[in-house]
Amino acid sequence: MHALLDQATIDAFQTDGVCVVRGLFADHVETIRDGIGRNMDAPGPYAAENLKAGERGRFFDDYCNWQRIPEIEDVIRSSPAAEVAADLMVSTTAQLFHDHVLVKEPGTSKPTPWHQDGPYYFVGGQQTASFWAPVDPVVDASLRCVAGSHLWAKPVLPTRWLNEDNFYPDEGAYMPVPDPDAEGMDIREWALEPGDAVAFNYWILHGARGNTTDQRRRALSLRFVGDDARYVERPGKTSPPFPGHGMQGR
């Protein structure tokens, strides 16, 4: 077990599907900031601006850039993220799936819609772990996760963030996107300092409020899979796409 963890944290991750790991990237904050800056200066082919015309602020995201952004590669290789992910997943291995940069500039009122990552992916299995790591202090714009939702009988219908329209054709295979606040669900969220990380299972329902503060909210997310990861077919385009392997994007 890595020194940043204890058994209670691993048990919470298994039961709730989410936990916080303080200081996971404490030695890499400046490197992550530099990597995010490089990504925003030179976006990759999957970069997106997630605001409609007339909406204030900026909500930028991009993924699958570690092979061209040395700072992100350095964090993946030299931080304890993979070791901690394996411990949380109770897996003998931890394999990188992809990296993801998410930035909400000050005054961005648009929330991150409630969603599960799993339905967008071509990966099946329960041994999965994502780290959401801000490099700015975060209080009101932190990640919000519904405890236990990784064990729901049906996955949540995936939608496109910008238009919020349906992502896959067979709605009967999915449950509608719920409103966790209105339905009184057990929402976990933490105030975070740079270097802290929220760890969550791919099947956790999660979202985030808009960033109505006067500070930036920059975050790097690293996604890992464990021993039981298997390729699965999805009824629609996957995200990330990995087109060289036959998986086309949304």
Side-chain angles (χ1 to χ4, degrees), residues 133-152:
V135 293
D136 306 289
V138 173
V139 178
D140 294 329
S142 187
L143 194 69
R144 311 178 75 211
C145 299
V146 175
S149 54
H150 65 308
L151 301 176
W152 286 351

Side-chain angles (χ1 to χ4, degrees), residues 35-56:
I36 290 174
R38 188 189 294 266
N39 193 169
M40 297 185 76
D41 288 341
Y46 308 129
E49 299 287 349
N50 296 289
L51 298 184
K52 297 177 182 177
E55 292 181 317
R56 295 182 56 224

